[in-house]
Amino acid sequence: MDAEAQESFREFVANRSSALLKTAVLLSGGDRHAGEDLLQNALIKAAGRWHRIDEPEAYVRQILYRQQVSRWRLKWPRRELSVAEPPETGTAPDASGAAELRLVMRGALARLTARQRTVLVLRYFEDLPEAEVARILGCSVGTVRSATHRSLARLRALAPELAALGPAAAEQRPSRDYSPVEVRQ
């Protein structure tokens, strides 16, 4: 990679890595470390082809999605969950409703399968149409629709407090953090 391409790549990483990391963390079920690994691998792949990429962010996002799809297609998925610190015990609930909702959503997303989580992230966090999600995942639009329906049903079963949110409650919230349920109720 020449000096100009290196500088362009560094600027891209500096400017877009936080947004890409959010997507990677969501795709990996809220596990920040796994999300960082996912993003790092995607950026390594993109760096090798940097001079041929027209739309860098779209290219890196495509790599993220495909790597995540490859992970859940493995014959023997990794069944362990590594965390930086042991879980807390006996903590008082957060007074902030939005923060509590994010934690509930993150926990529920982490308990979904990788495929369910990927479909929800692509449909609602990335706000991609069903046809685009089908293209990325290499399946039919009908499969995306049924997977989305089943994933939302499972998410509501895992976190019934999310079902209490109606469209009015969703509109009052200032941020769009981890909230696929607010889009389609």
Side-chain angles (χ1 to χ4, degrees), residues 136-149:
I136 289 170
L137 298 179
C139 61
S140 70
V141 173
T143 301
V144 170
R145 286 180 184 154
S146 64
T148 302
H149 175 75

Side-chain angles (χ1 to χ4, degrees), residues 54-112:
D54 292 331
E55 295 182 38
E57 185 163 355
Y59 188 84
V60 171
R61 286 182 186 274
Q62 184 79 19
I63 294 171
L64 287 172
Y65 306 143
R66 289 188 177 175
Q67 281 184 318
Q68 186 61 25
V69 167
S70 294
R71 284 183 180 178
W72 52 258
R73 284 186 178 162
L74 290 175
K75 186 174 182 177
W76 298 103
R78 199 172 112 193
R79 299 195 188 278
E80 63 184 84
L81 175 65
S82 24
V83 293
E85 299 173 4
E88 297 177 9
T89 57
T91 60
D94 190 0
S96 171
E100 186 174 330
L101 178 62
R102 280 194 305 272
L103 291 173
V104 168
M105 179 61 78
R106 179 177 286 167
L109 281 173
R111 293 187 319 211
L112 293 176

